[in-house]
Amino acid sequence: MRRHLHAQEPALRRSLDRGLVSLLLCFFVLIGRPTPVDARPLQLFGPAPQSPPLATYQADVNDARPQSYAELNHWLAARPPLPSVNMLGGDFWLVARFTPSKPASAWVVTFDNTYYDSARMLVLGDDGSQQYVETGATQDVYEVPRGVAAVTLTPGHRYAVVIRVTSKFFTAMPRVDVQTRAEYHQRRTNESALMLGSLGVLFGLGIFILFVGLWIRDQGYRLYGCQALILVAGWGFFFGVPQSWLGIDTEPVNFAQWFILLPVVHARFTIRFLDLRRHAPQMARVGYGIAVAAIIALPVSLLFPKLAFLIATFAVSIVVLYSAGMGLWALWRGVRRARFFTLAFMAVLVPGVIILPVNFGLIPSMVDNADLLTLMGNACEAMLLAFALADHVKLVEDGRERFRRGMQEAIAKASIDPLTGLGNRLAFNVMVEEITRRENTNPAQGTWQIGMIDLDGLKLVNDSQGHERGDDLLRAVGEGLARLGDLIRAFRLGGDEFAVIAYGDELGQQRLARALGELDQSLRHSDFPGAGISFGLCSAPPDQRRFSSADFTELVRQADRTMYAHKSYRRTERLSEQALPEARSE
């Protein structure tokens, strides 16, 4: 079996190596492929909107917004253009020109694919219209979602969205989407359902597993529960739940601090779940180093808000790669509990590969809502990690069951005489101990009976026919005692000594005596010279309900005395039988 497992290891290693290389190739292809700035993102959550090209300009403190569409070109000419916003934040003007593509008047302009502190959105039309909205994480606007402006547009006219955005950092290159209100509501419904569902999964699993961990006092469960709840808090802050839905001002804390806190429990959960302190102590120290670095980075992110998101991105990326790497390593080593664990981190690595270059501002987002996709990946990760914990519990229970069965088998083997198949002296003592712990609740039905048995002729058979024939004689006696009845337990105490324990009334004792006598007769008429059994039976008092060890010791002594009396009688009988032929011959 071991040779078979060793033969499978190279194939398993090759398949894991191919999978890891494929994952890395996909990662570098996605990051390294040229992506045009005006590339349309893949639509996953609703109808495709208009996404007009976005021009970026540096904003000054005293800048005033343009007053009309007609003066927009002159207003823009006075400002130096930029290739894009600075991901570390700042104050910028964003301008997008478009013409409504559908014959509808009710439209929605959205600016919500990135985090920002505040934004002032102005929609100018060549028909002289002006529509103005203020939005953002720091704005007291709760009746509409962040970054959404419901506007009225006239088909056939040209419009421009002018946005002044201020933020301590950005999480992606800004994008403006324009779509009809019906399409927006469809998309908003889909995204809200998926967001709330994903947060609900994380929150429910986190609370449940944390409660289980507190109840059973298991650190792995507690760490996993805290990890899920930190993800709930982080994503809740990112989507503006405390600010937009609850009206709570959380500054200076934002979502970035929650994601920086995540590696503190995430790395420790990996160490605990994969038992790295025992299997890979050096990698366990790396995990503890990641947790300590995250603790140090937390106050740094509050002192330097512009770096908060960059620190969070690095921290989460490092701990996810660490956990995924340790999962693959454990899977390669044949650790069964790593199956769902590794799969969980693959589920979060896929959207991570998509969103990571976006977070660093390397490329525009390749999907319409990369953040929601990552949240869904976290929800899948949480469910798979819950499966991993359940699988781990099953493996532990299977191990305990195998240990229990092994102990039972070991005890059974230790309690059975290998030659006769009867219980040995250990089994005899165990049964006596069990009887002393129980009460004879109905003495009218019977009481405990002890029979001590001595095999006669064993030495003669060993000396004259060999020890193999002596073993055959012992087996024959064992087979005969095993057939005495269901309520009779037979034991070989050692050598030529046997015992029986039975439960019954006086009539049952008489039947037992007859059965032992018949066994003696069968041995005497067998081809074993001088074989037979001497036995003595003794019953406890019929009205005795409880038995102590001393009571059973006394029963054994009485049965021994009766057995030796029977042996002495049989010896005298055999001498008489031998003397009779001699007298006749004289």
Side-chain angles (χ1 to χ4, degrees):
M1 178 67 178
R2 184 168 296 178
R3 287 196 300 270
H4 178 67
L5 290 177
H6 285 319
Q8 286 184 337
E9 282 185 2
L12 177 61
R13 292 177 183 177
R14 285 195 299 269
S15 62
L16 287 175
D17 290 341
R18 286 195 297 266
L20 184 58
V21 170
S22 300
L23 183 65
L24 291 175
L25 284 176
C26 291
F27 178 78
F28 287 116
V29 166
L30 286 171
I31 291 180
R33 73 182 183 91
T35 304
V37 176
D38 58 347
R40 294 179 61 84
L42 179 64
Q43 303 302 314
L44 299 178
F45 304 107
Q50 289 181 246
S51 298
L54 200 62
T56 306
Y57 300 87
Q58 185 66 52
D60 293 330
V61 177
N62 298 320
D63 269 355
R65 63 178 185 263
Q67 299 301 313
S68 67
Y69 186 89
E71 69 174 58
L72 182 60
N73 289 335
H74 177 71
W75 183 84
L76 291 176
R79 286 159 180 79
L82 299 174
S84 65
V85 297
N86 187 343
M87 300 300 290
L88 295 180
D91 195 1
F92 304 93
W93 288 105
L94 306 176
V95 179
R97 302 172 187 262
F98 69 96
T99 300
S101 59
K102 297 180 181 179
S105 59
W107 290 76
V108 173
V109 177
T110 56
F111 174 55
D112 64 349
N113 74 306
T114 183
Y115 176 89
Y116 53 87
D117 293 329
S118 65
R120 300 172 179 85
M121 301 173 59
L122 175 65
V123 180
L124 301 173
D126 63 1
D127 56 357
S129 60
Q130 292 187 23
Q131 301 172 75
Y132 180 74
V133 174
E134 291 189 8
T135 183
T138 60
Q139 300 297 315
D140 297 331
V141 179
Y142 313 126
E143 63 272 11
V144 293
R146 180 176 65 91
V148 175
V151 297
T152 301
L153 305 178
T154 304
H157 286 270
R158 292 174 297 171
Y159 293 89
V161 181
V162 181
I163 303 173
R164 181 163 184 173
V165 58
T166 303
S167 185
K168 60 179 71 71
F169 56 79
F170 295 97
T171 59
M173 293 183 184
R175 187 183 72 237
V176 171
D177 293 331
V178 182
Q179 58 190 149
T180 65
R181 292 188 189 180
E183 292 174 339
Y184 167 78
H185 285 307
Q186 181 181 347
R187 170 180 291 276
R188 188 71 181 180
T189 300
N190 296 340
E191 292 179 340
S192 298
L194 291 171
M195 180 190 71
L196 293 175
S198 300
L199 289 175
V201 167
L202 286 170
F203 182 76
L205 286 174
I207 289 293
F208 175 73
I209 301 263
L210 180 61
F211 176 78
V212 171
L214 292 172
W215 183 264
I216 66 175
R217 298 180 181 180
D218 187 280
Q219 187 183 20
Y221 281 77
R222 294 196 298 269
L223 289 171
Y224 170 79
C226 292
Q227 174 182 319
L229 294 179
I230 289 173
L231 282 171
V232 171
W235 284 112
F237 271 61
F238 181 84
F239 288 109
V241 173
Q243 303 92 336
S244 300
W245 293 15
L246 303 178
I248 300 175
D249 182 12
T250 61
E251 288 296 325
V253 176
N254 53 59
F255 73 94
Q257 280 74 40
W258 291 104
F259 285 107
I260 294 172
L261 184 63
L262 185 64
V264 177
V265 294
H266 202 150
R268 293 172 61 201
F269 171 72
T270 299
I271 296 168
R272 175 78 177 184
F273 185 81
L274 297 178
D275 199 9
L276 295 181
R277 291 205 307 187
R278 182 162 65 95
H279 297 298
Q282 291 183 345
M283 297 311 299
R285 286 192 285 271
V286 172
Y288 286 123
I290 293 173
V292 171
I295 293 173
I296 296 173
L298 194 59
V300 174
S301 69
L302 294 173
L303 292 174
F304 303 96
K306 286 182 174 293
L307 300 176
F309 178 67
L310 189 63
I311 294 172
T313 302
F314 272 115
V316 172
S317 301
I318 290 172
V319 77
V320 170
L321 289 174
Y322 169 78
S323 299
M326 290 299 95
L328 287 171
W329 173 84
L331 198 62
W332 178 69
R333 291 287 300 271
V335 179
R336 285 187 60 193
R337 73 178 71 173
R339 296 175 298 171
F340 287 107
F341 181 88
T342 306
L343 190 60
F345 287 101
M346 293 302 105
V348 78
L349 270 179
V350 172
V353 167
I354 296 174
I355 197 174
L356 186 62
V358 176
N359 292 154
F360 287 111
L362 300 176
I363 60 173
S365 179
M366 292 178 288
V367 297
D368 52 352
N369 197 332
D371 300 309
L372 179 56
L373 185 63
T374 307
L375 170 60
M376 294 169 61
N378 283 139
C380 291
E381 173 201 9
M383 289 188 290
L384 289 170
L385 285 178
F387 291 154
L389 286 172
D391 186 55
H392 174 56
V393 171
K394 182 178 182 300
L395 291 176
V396 171
E397 290 300 321
D398 289 345
R400 289 176 178 173
E401 182 64 20
R402 287 193 298 270
F403 177 77
R404 186 183 66 83
R405 290 179 181 176
M407 289 297 296
Q408 288 179 340
E409 291 176 1
I411 292 173
K413 289 179 180 178
S415 303
I416 294 176
D417 176 60
L419 184 62
T420 63
L422 302 177
N424 57 15
R425 184 174 289 277
L426 174 62
F428 178 81
N429 293 335
V430 169
M431 187 169 183
V432 169
E433 185 178 352
E434 290 178 354
I435 293 172
T436 58
R437 291 200 300 262
R438 289 185 292 180
E439 182 180 357
N440 188 11
T441 57
N442 193 356
Q445 291 185 355
T447 187
W448 292 105
Q449 302 164 359
I450 297 290
M452 302 302 294
I453 303 166
D454 199 39
L455 174 60
D456 300 326
L458 178 62
K459 185 176 185 305
L460 178 60
V461 173
N462 284 334
D463 293 342
S464 61
Q465 299 183 359
H467 285 277
E468 289 186 1
R469 286 291 289 168
D471 291 344
D472 292 339
L473 175 58
L474 288 169
R475 278 191 286 267
V477 175
E479 292 173 0
L481 294 177
R483 293 194 297 266
L484 290 178
D486 295 336
L487 297 180
I488 301 172
R489 180 84 183 274
F491 308 88
R492 183 189 176 199
L493 303 182
D496 56 2
E497 297 180 37
F498 294 82
V500 293
I501 298 178
Y503 183 84
D505 53 14
E506 185 177 353
L507 185 60
Q509 182 176 344
Q510 294 174 2
R511 287 195 294 268
L512 176 59
R514 284 197 301 271
L516 292 175
E518 293 172 358
L519 176 59
D520 175 51
Q521 290 296 321
S522 67
L523 292 173
R524 293 177 66 177
H525 291 90
S526 66
D527 56 353
F528 297 107
I533 59 171
S534 301
F535 60 89
L537 298 177
C538 183
S539 294
D543 58 346
Q544 186 170 355
R545 289 179 173 271
R546 289 193 172 275
F547 301 88
S548 64
S549 298
D551 294 334
F552 260 90
T553 301
E554 183 59 31
L555 288 178
V556 170
R557 287 199 192 99
Q558 292 181 20
D560 260 333
R561 285 195 292 267
T562 306
M563 183 269 293
Y564 282 117
H566 185 212
K567 181 183 281 290
S568 178
Y569 170 77
R570 292 202 56 210
R571 186 181 298 113
T572 303
E573 187 180 45
R574 282 196 300 272
L575 291 175
S576 300
E577 291 175 353
Q578 292 173 1
L580 185 59
E582 294 176 0
R584 287 178 179 176
S585 63
E586 292 178 359

